[in-house]
Amino acid sequence: MFVGQAFAAVDVDGVSFEDGDTVAGQKLVLNGASSSQILSSKATVVGLYMAQKANTPETAFAVKGAKRIRLVALKEISAKDLATVLLDRIKQNATRDEVENNILQLAAMGAAFNSRPKLVKGDVVTLDWNPGPKTTEIRINGDLATQPIQGDAFYPVVMKVWIGPKVRTNLRNNLLGVPN
């Protein structure tokens, strides 16, 4: 949060997303925010933070520096359901090579969500890209859910859950700041 800031940039389904955040000492801007569905019902809201704004998936993947995906549960979600949906969306949106080259990272991400039985309404998950050590950190309510996941090719695969080619158009457009 930036000093002196007293307002949220965006409110989605009662969840406020500040217009800036900091990851690995780098100031980020809110690129966009949207509600997201799990098992055909509105279950989460998600915000995408990067060093600079991007309005296409390709530009967002190419933005240098730290990144953050902030996910807030709107209702109770079982960890198994969340992990399954994330993996399914990755398989739908990533290439076969991207999935195969990140199989250990995907297993670590699944384990992070399975570290607890469920998310409850208001739980906050952050998925942070730290470019220095080239790691993805997953935190639930501020607590590290697993050891940082190594690999610079993994975070773009994670981003495809929300801005990939087979994601609902309104979700992708909202995160990219594109009018629907």
Side-chain angles (χ1 to χ4, degrees):
M1 194 144 109
F2 298 109
V3 176
Q5 182 177 7
F7 62 93
V10 177
D11 182 88
V12 179
D13 293 324
V15 177
S16 295
F17 289 88
E18 299 298 326
D19 62 357
D21 212 337
T22 303
V23 172
Q26 184 177 3
K27 290 183 179 181
L28 306 179
V29 295
L30 178 65
N31 200 72
S34 186
S35 60
S36 182
Q37 294 186 348
I38 295 177
L39 304 175
S40 299
S41 70
K42 195 183 302 183
T44 64
V45 291
V46 61
L48 174 62
Y49 291 86
M50 300 185 299
Q52 63 190 48
K53 292 201 175 219
N55 61 9
T56 67
E58 297 76 20
T59 307
F61 298 135
V63 168
K64 301 291 184 204
K67 295 177 182 169
R68 167 168 281 170
I69 296 168
R70 180 174 174 247
L71 181 90
V72 181
L74 293 176
K75 64 180 193 172
E76 187 173 292
I77 307 165
S78 84
K80 181 183 177 196
D81 286 347
L82 181 59
T84 299
V85 167
L86 292 175
L87 185 56
D88 286 348
R89 289 185 184 170
I90 286 170
K91 287 179 179 177
Q92 291 169 7
N93 288 284
T95 66
R96 183 180 185 137
D97 283 346
E98 287 173 323
V99 172
E100 288 176 359
N101 292 334
N102 287 286
I103 200 76
L104 295 176
Q105 290 88 345
L106 291 168
M109 183 175 75
F113 289 109
N114 287 323
S115 68
R116 59 190 306 140
K118 63 187 173 187
L119 295 179
V120 297
K121 182 178 180 176
D123 278 352
V124 177
V125 177
T126 55
L127 299 114
D128 292 342
W129 168 244
N130 186 340
K134 298 181 181 180
T135 58
T136 299
E137 292 184 3
I138 301 172
R139 294 182 185 277
I140 301 174
N141 297 326
D143 296 327
L144 202 56
T146 186
Q147 291 300 312
I149 301 170
Q150 298 288 325
D152 58 350
F154 180 60
Y155 202 81
V157 170
V158 172
M159 290 175 67
K160 288 184 177 188
V161 168
W162 295 279
I163 62 170
K166 295 181 181 173
V167 171
R168 290 189 174 136
T169 303
N170 65 333
L171 169 60
R172 182 177 47 251
N173 286 351
N174 287 339
L175 290 174
L176 295 172
V178 176
N180 283 305

